[in-house]
Amino acid sequence: MRSANSIRPLTVRKSLLLGALALGGLLPIAAEAGDAVIPIASNQTENGANYLTKIWVTNQGGVSRGFSMKFVAADANGVQARPTPKVTVRPGATVLLNNVAPAGRPGMLIASGAPQLVLSARLEGAGPNGAAAVANLPVITGAQVAVADATLLLQGLSRRPSGLTTSIHVVNAARQTATCTLKAFRRNGQQIAGNMTITNKPLSLRSFEDALGVLNENDIVDARFLISCNKPFYAFARVQRTGTTELEFVAPSATVGRAPSLSASLNQ
């Protein structure tokens, strides 16, 4: 088994696909605009399937409103990202955006707009032999971002010889560099390897493909990751079956009996 420093092989793979199927009720499908993150921006082909992120923007106000986005490539500094030209949404109208990511470059989106604008996002995949996948994507606002030094838990994760893999994604929601700690556990509570420490650039996305496989866990079910950062952050997992369009988004687990401590500004 690799040492506690084995985070180094967990590098960002530029070919990764950030796909998702929202689970549970923690994340909204639609959210008011302002500063918000859509952590899955895809316009690429993987394993013979084409994946495209689409965004719907509706203006619920009585006057026209402007809306813009920044595309942040995986492991890039989001503060340095340039916004797109503003899109004007007329009162009561809905605008569909389906060219939100450069071809072949995975990453995330930072959306900015007036509170009268409401966003929804969806990933659509088309595979060989007519296989298709449609998944609603989260729009992450301050209500879903974990405060600094909080801990998010991602559970029910697997890695099987049949091709099922798990990837871990950590979003730094702050405009300063963040230090994050990842811990992996088997379902019996035994920790896998040691604590793993990473550095996240401001407003950035770090993605670790086949994280359990890199930790030499090639046949495991019901694993979990605990993730904590010293800046406001968000984390999620993607479970995917290789060679198919089958994938799912695993959101942070909720706390039984009390509301989770998830409240922070994306501008902190």
Side-chain angles (χ1 to χ4, degrees):
M1 180 169 293
R2 300 182 184 181
S3 68
N5 295 323
S6 60
I7 189 64
R8 293 186 179 276
L10 287 174
T11 52
V12 178
R13 297 184 186 176
K14 299 302 181 182
S15 63
L16 67 90
L17 169 71
L18 296 179
L21 174 63
L23 297 180
L26 181 62
L27 294 174
I29 294 174
E32 291 182 352
D35 277 337
V37 170
I38 301 168
I40 302 96
S42 178
N43 180 12
Q44 59 187 314
T45 300
E46 182 173 298
N47 296 323
N50 298 313
Y51 294 89
L52 184 68
T53 297
K54 295 183 177 182
I55 298 174
W56 287 262
V57 186
T58 296
N59 184 357
Q60 299 189 114
V63 299
S64 296
R65 300 286 178 176
F67 174 79
S68 64
M69 291 184 298
K70 294 180 181 178
F71 172 78
V72 182
D75 203 27
N77 187 331
V79 174
Q80 300 172 353
R82 295 182 178 181
T84 61
K86 280 193 174 182
V87 175
T88 299
V89 186
R90 297 191 304 273
T94 298
V95 172
L96 170 61
L97 305 174
N98 56 14
N99 189 23
V100 297
R105 295 184 65 194
M108 68 179 186
L109 298 169
I110 300 175
S112 298
Q116 290 81 6
L117 301 178
V118 176
L119 315 181
S120 295
R122 190 165 72 196
L123 179 75
E124 295 185 358
N129 303 320
V134 176
N136 291 321
L137 303 180
V139 179
I140 301 169
T141 64
Q144 289 82 43
V145 174
V147 297
D149 299 320
T151 298
L152 294 181
L153 187 151
L154 305 173
Q155 61 182 336
L157 308 178
S158 303
R159 212 282 187 182
R160 303 304 299 270
S162 60
L164 200 65
T165 61
T166 293
S167 299
I168 302 296
H169 309 278
V170 183
V171 175
N172 177 10
R175 295 181 181 273
Q176 301 84 34
T177 298
T179 300
C180 302
T181 300
L182 289 75
K183 304 176 184 178
F185 294 87
R186 300 179 180 89
R187 64 181 176 185
N188 64 0
Q190 183 182 22
Q191 186 169 354
I192 302 171
N195 296 351
M196 299 167 282
T197 301
I198 63 173
T199 299
N200 276 27
K201 296 175 183 177
L203 294 179
S204 69
L205 170 72
R206 288 292 302 274
S207 301
F208 308 109
E209 291 287 277
D210 192 13
L212 290 168
V214 171
L215 295 176
N216 289 330
E217 294 291 335
N218 296 316
D219 192 359
I220 185 172
V221 296
D222 299 331
R224 66 182 184 270
F225 274 79
L226 294 179
I227 302 168
S228 180
C229 298
N230 66 350
K231 301 292 182 183
F233 73 103
Y234 185 79
F236 64 97
R238 188 196 79 234
V239 180
Q240 183 173 8
R241 191 173 299 280
T242 303
T244 73
T245 57
E246 180 183 344
L247 49 84
E248 67 179 6
F249 172 89
V250 180
S253 298
T255 301
V256 176
R258 62 182 176 87
S261 177
L262 296 176
S263 178
S265 169
L266 293 172
N267 293 313
Q268 288 183 355

